[in-house]
Amino acid sequence: MRKPVIAANWKLNGDLALCREFASTFDDLGAGAAPEVLVCPPAVYIPAFVRLLEKSVSVESGEVQTLKVGAQNVAREAAGAFTGEISASMLAEVGVQYCIVGHSERRAIFGETDDEVLAKSQLLADSGITAIVCIGESLSVREAGKAETFVAGQLNAVLSRWSGISAESIVLAYEPVWAIGTGVSATTEQVQAMHSQIRQQADKFLDADALRILYGGSVKASNAAELLALDDVDGALVGGASLNVDEFRQIVAAAN
Ligand code: PGA
C-alpha cells in the first residue's frame, strides 16, 4: 500500500506569516492512514518552519503526524567553493526530509540538466533525503505526439544511471509543463496513461509497486479528488493552490 504524498511547492512565494499559518492549521494530520503532507518553502524559511512544527506538537500526542518540510532545490556538489549554494547535508541537518529536483522551471530557466538531476538526487539520498524528481513534457512535445517518448527519456536518464536506487529513495512527479500554473490540469485519461507508463518503466530499476508517482500541474480543490482517485496517482505536487491554506487543506482532505 503506497502512502500518498501531498506536497506544497511555494516557489518564490510565501513569508513567515504563511509558515505560521500552515504550522498551526496542520498541527495534527491524524495517525496511520493519513497522507504525508509536506511544505517546500523558500530555503531561508526552513529552520523557522521546522521550529514552528516542533512547537505545535504537544508532548502527550505521540501519535500525531505533523507536516514535513521539503526544499525546492539543492546544490549538485557536496561542499566547496560554490557561492550561494546549499548542500544536501545542510538541508538534512536543519530537518529537511524531501527535496524537489528537476522542476521544469529549474530545467527551463536555470538550465538544470538530467546529469544534474541525477547528481543532486544521489547526494540527497546519501543525506537521507528523498528526492522528488520532476519529469514532464512541453506543449509542443505533446502536440507532436512525443510526450511518452520524452518522459521516458527523462526518467531513464535518472533511473538507469543510479546504482542502488530503491523505491524509498525517490518519489516521481509527473508535471506536464503546459499544465503548470495555467489553471488547466491534464485530463484524468492523460494522467493515468502517463503514470501507468512511468510505473512500468520504473519496474526495470526498482520495486515499482512501492514507488510513489505524484501528479502536478494546476491541482486545486476542485479537481484533486478525481486526480487522486486514479490507480497510478499517489499524491500531488501543488504550486499556486498551496499558497492558500484553506484550498490546500481541501486538497489534503481529498487524499484521505
Ligand atoms: P501549479 O504548479 O500547481 O501552480 O500548476 C505545480 C508545480 O509547479 O509544481
Side-chain angles (χ1 to χ4, degrees):
M1 184 62 185
R2 300 184 290 267
K3 194 173 176 72
V5 181
I6 305 295
N9 174 14
W10 286 1
K11 310 189 181 184
L12 186 54
N13 299 296
D15 51 19
L16 278 176
L18 194 63
C19 296
R20 277 188 216 104
E21 203 184 346
F22 267 71
S24 60
T25 302
F26 294 99
D27 61 349
D28 182 359
L29 294 167
E36 276 186 78
V37 184
L38 63 127
V39 177
C40 306
V44 69
Y45 296 129
I46 290 172
F49 206 154
V50 170
R51 277 195 296 276
L52 283 166
L53 294 173
E54 285 165 355
K55 262 194 237 160
S56 71
V57 182
S58 71
V59 181
E60 307 93 87
S61 51
E63 289 295 301
V64 164
Q65 190 190 170
T66 57
L67 287 179
K68 291 180 173 151
V69 181
Q72 298 176 17
N73 185 33
V74 64
R76 61 167 191 208
E77 312 285 346
F82 302 100
T83 301
E85 294 293 278
I86 300 173
S87 73
S89 62
M90 293 170 189
L91 293 176
E93 198 179 6
V94 296
V96 166
Q97 291 175 272
Y98 286 88
C99 181
I100 299 168
V101 185
H103 190 280
S104 62
E105 287 151 18
R106 294 218 58 88
R107 292 181 191 259
I109 303 167
F110 302 99
E112 193 160 305
T113 63
D114 285 335
D115 287 350
E116 286 172 321
V117 172
L118 176 66
K120 290 178 176 193
S121 301
Q122 288 176 311
L123 284 168
L124 288 166
D126 292 346
S127 290
I129 297 174
T130 305
I132 301 177
V133 173
C134 302
I135 50 182
E137 80 287 355
S138 65
L139 187 58
S140 58
V141 168
R142 177 157 286 265
E143 285 177 347
K146 295 186 176 141
E148 287 75 15
T149 321
F150 182 85
V151 169
Q154 282 184 324
L155 190 57
N156 198 51
V158 177
L159 300 191
S160 70
R161 294 186 292 158
W162 183 342
S163 68
I165 189 172
S166 72
E168 286 70 47
S169 47
I170 190 169
V171 167
L172 290 171
Y174 170 57
E175 297 206 306
V177 179
W178 46 272
I180 294 177
T182 60
V184 182
S185 82
T187 65
T188 50
E189 291 75 22
Q190 288 169 326
V191 174
Q192 173 54 29
M194 191 63 89
H195 279 227
S196 160
Q197 175 196 297
I198 290 169
R199 196 176 305 284
Q200 274 173 34
Q201 189 185 345
D203 202 41
K204 280 186 265 166
F205 306 101
L206 46 75
D207 174 11
D209 278 342
L211 174 70
R212 290 174 302 173
I213 309 172
L214 316 185
Y215 168 76
S218 296
V219 175
K220 43 197 168 183
S222 58
N223 61 14
E226 61 176 15
L227 289 163
L228 293 169
L230 297 170
D231 282 353
D232 286 298
V233 172
D234 308 306
L237 182 52
V238 187
S242 76
L243 295 169
N244 179 309
V245 78
D246 288 328
E247 176 103 14
F248 190 67
R249 189 168 41 189
Q250 290 175 57
I251 295 170
V252 171
N256 266 312

